[in-house]
Amino acid sequence: MSTSESTSRRRSGGGLDRFFHISERGSTVGTEVRGGVVTFFAMAYIILLNPLIIGTSADRDGVVLGIPQVAAATALAAGVMSILFGVVAKYPFGIATGLGLNTLVAVTLVGQQGLTWPEAMGLVVIDGIVICILAVTGFRTAVFRAIPDSMKAAMSVGIGMFIALIGLVDAGFVRRVPDAAMTTVPVQLGIDGSIASWPTFVFVVGLVICGFAVIRNIPGGLFLGIVATTIIALIVEAIVGAGPSSESPDGWALAVPSLPDSLGGVPDLSIVGNVDLFGAFVHAGVVAASLLVFTLILANFFDAMGTMTALGRQAQLTDDNGELPNLKRALVVEGFGAVLGGAASSSSNTVFVDSSAGIADGARTGLANVVTGVLFLLAMFFTPLYAIVPIEAAAPVLVIVGALMMMQVGTIDWSKFYIALPAFLTIATMPFTYSIADGIGVGFISFTLMALFAGKRKDVHWIMWLISALFVVFFAHGPIMDALG
């Protein structure tokens, strides 16, 4: 598009167009709305999954947050943060409770360290405050700029592999082999090596539909793919009655596709604001609590950094240096997600990798995020409506997007082993550990070491050395906690 054409489109597009730079980024209002809807359905599972992770376990006082309460708080925080990020940062990166971060809160902070839920959420709030300060001072931006291009590309590819694996696992296409099987193979195809369940069959059909839509460049193809696969899932469930996976291994993973009996009701937000900022320091001690905050910060910091890098590249919003415009502003708002998530008792909110689904369907601006956020807020009142869509209907989009993000692997110089090994470890570690932060940490440490061995020490920014050292502490936090008693 020429400069004059771009200017003409911006002038004719009205205030909404100018505010979100819709025409400037080669998009339309309709495309943004559609992309926002796709992102919501790709992310909506968090409203069902987060309550299962943090809403069912009792803390040391016997308090259980509760599934309905956590579901409502999760949708509230995701809605507010997605809208805020869209309006301020103006990027189509949906925000919701971070997977991995919520497990860290539930298992480590509450389960192992014996914190109460308010104390644990207090540490999440402190984590967010520190990250916001690091963003305001420009440190987060400096870290972005210190990362070599090869590592940025590896992070994008690794995240693509990660979300593809999430889609395959969520759909039951890949399953964990029970430890009782006494095998060295940790995962397998379907059930006993066979695609034996109806939900997985629906996923395969959805994958074919979405693949066809992308190949034929059908506008809104991924959105139509989710709709079509959901309809197929409704028909299949009505005929065979597979039921939930909690009752049978060949059932639906989360939501069972069926027409709702009612539209919903008033959400229970009673856990919102139930936070104790300093209780953890009293219960666990200053040193131990500080180390827990450090663990949260490092996981949160680099999870978001890797995701934003990958999404920015996928949406083609980065400049020649691989950096997003207005990056500092975006990082400050993203950091606030931990503050709001902790205050809402839904755990830290961060940029969601599943936003790649909406981007693949054309989303390029913050308007898509506003649409996603509004749908999250509506989900508080209309829970049965989003529960119609099973994860098996959204999972094909994640696999398709993973394949699209894999294309960036060609920008890595594989002929130089000191570049190739860290890139490979980054790409491999993310899906195998189910953690973006772990993949980045392994990649950073290996890159600094390989560069040193190759005589390229001066080419490595001092921030890379600092972050690598911090990741060594991060990976050793278990033994350190044990040493502290």
Side-chain angles (χ1 to χ4, degrees):
M1 184 189 301
S2 67
T3 302
S4 60
E5 288 175 333
S6 177
T7 302
S8 176
R9 289 183 65 178
R10 288 199 300 272
R11 287 174 178 171
S12 63
L16 190 67
D17 189 312
R18 289 192 296 272
F19 182 82
F20 286 109
H21 310 292
I22 297 173
S23 296
E24 181 182 332
R25 296 182 184 177
S27 186
T28 65
V29 172
T31 299
E32 294 303 305
V33 171
R34 187 183 67 225
V37 174
V38 170
T39 293
F40 169 76
F41 280 114
M43 293 174 60
Y45 68 88
I46 194 62
I47 311 177
L48 301 173
L49 186 57
N50 194 39
L52 299 179
I53 294 175
I54 71 172
T56 58
S57 301
D59 61 17
R60 73 169 188 269
D61 292 337
V63 175
V64 177
L65 294 179
I67 289 180
Q69 293 84 351
V70 174
T74 300
L76 173 64
V80 172
M81 282 307 308
S82 292
I83 293 173
L84 183 64
F85 194 84
V87 171
V88 178
K90 300 180 182 177
Y91 292 120
F93 305 165
I95 293 183
T97 300
L99 287 174
L101 295 171
N102 55 2
T103 303
L104 181 62
V105 171
V107 176
T108 302
L109 272 61
V110 175
Q112 297 177 357
Q113 299 302 318
L115 302 183
T116 64
W117 286 110
E119 290 170 351
M121 294 303 171
L123 292 186
V124 173
V125 171
I126 294 173
D127 152 46
I129 293 173
V130 173
I131 289 180
C132 284
I133 293 173
L134 293 175
V136 170
T137 58
F139 181 75
R140 289 191 83 182
T141 305
V143 172
F144 263 82
R145 292 171 176 167
I147 301 172
D149 289 341
S150 63
M151 289 303 298
K152 289 179 180 177
M155 287 157 55
S156 298
V157 175
I159 289 174
M161 295 283 287
F162 176 45
I163 63 175
L165 181 60
I166 289 175
L168 293 172
V169 171
D170 286 347
F173 194 86
V174 172
R175 298 177 185 244
R176 189 176 77 86
V177 178
D179 295 336
M182 300 299 290
T183 175
T184 57
V185 180
V187 293
Q188 64 182 3
L189 178 70
I191 300 175
D192 295 328
S194 174
I195 307 301
S197 71
W198 282 107
T200 304
F201 168 76
V202 169
F203 159 77
V204 173
V205 173
L207 186 60
V208 172
I209 293 173
C210 290
F212 172 80
V214 171
I215 291 173
R216 305 294 293 188
N217 294 318
I218 297 175
L222 295 181
F223 172 70
L224 295 176
I226 292 177
V227 173
T229 309
T230 299
I231 293 173
I232 294 172
L234 288 167
I235 295 173
V236 167
E237 177 60 20
I239 295 174
V240 305
S245 59
S246 59
E247 298 178 2
S248 172
D250 55 3
W252 303 91
L254 289 176
V256 177
S258 60
L259 297 177
D261 296 326
S262 63
L263 293 180
V266 178
D268 184 349
L269 298 174
S270 58
I271 63 174
V272 174
N274 190 14
V275 177
D276 184 350
L277 280 179
F278 305 108
F281 293 88
V282 176
H283 173 75
V286 175
V287 175
S290 298
L291 186 58
L292 291 173
V293 172
F294 168 77
T295 303
L296 284 170
I297 291 172
L298 213 58
N300 208 343
F301 189 107
F302 288 99
D303 192 301
M305 185 183 71
T307 302
M308 289 179 65
T309 298
L311 295 178
R313 281 172 167 254
Q314 181 194 2
Q316 298 180 336
L317 298 176
T318 55
D319 58 23
D320 294 338
N321 297 319
E323 184 176 311
L324 286 165
N326 301 317
L327 178 60
K328 183 176 180 179
R329 182 190 306 170
L331 291 173
V332 172
V333 179
E334 189 281 330
F336 184 70
V339 178
L340 182 63
S345 296
S346 69
S347 185
S348 178
N349 276 229
T350 186
V351 172
F352 236 63
V353 68
D354 304 78
S355 307
S356 55
I359 292 173
D361 214 41
R364 293 295 180 271
T365 78
L367 179 58
N369 244 42
V370 172
V371 173
T372 300
V374 169
L375 291 176
F376 267 116
L377 295 179
L378 291 176
M380 292 193 300
F381 300 90
F382 300 103
T383 302
L385 291 181
Y386 71 75
I388 292 175
V389 182
I391 191 63
E392 290 83 356
V397 175
L398 300 182
V399 176
I400 293 293
V401 171
L404 293 173
M405 295 177 72
M406 188 70 186
M407 296 177 183
Q408 298 185 46
V409 74
T411 64
I412 300 171
D413 187 355
W414 296 101
S415 65
K416 298 176 181 176
F417 195 70
Y418 79 94
I419 292 176
L421 180 60
F424 170 76
L425 290 175
T426 301
I427 294 169
T429 302
M430 284 187 189
F432 289 151
T433 63
Y434 247 60
S435 171
I436 294 173
D438 286 352
I440 293 175
V442 170
F444 276 28
I445 294 171
S446 59
F447 182 87
T448 53
L449 289 176
M450 294 304 108
L452 177 64
F453 298 159
K456 304 289 184 179
R457 181 179 60 84
K458 293 182 179 180
D459 295 340
V460 181
H461 198 284
W462 68 267
I463 289 181
M464 288 290 291
W465 289 99
L466 172 62
I467 299 303
S468 297
L470 292 175
F471 265 116
V472 170
V473 177
F474 174 73
F475 290 135
H477 75 273
I480 293 174
M481 291 297 295
D482 291 340
L484 294 173

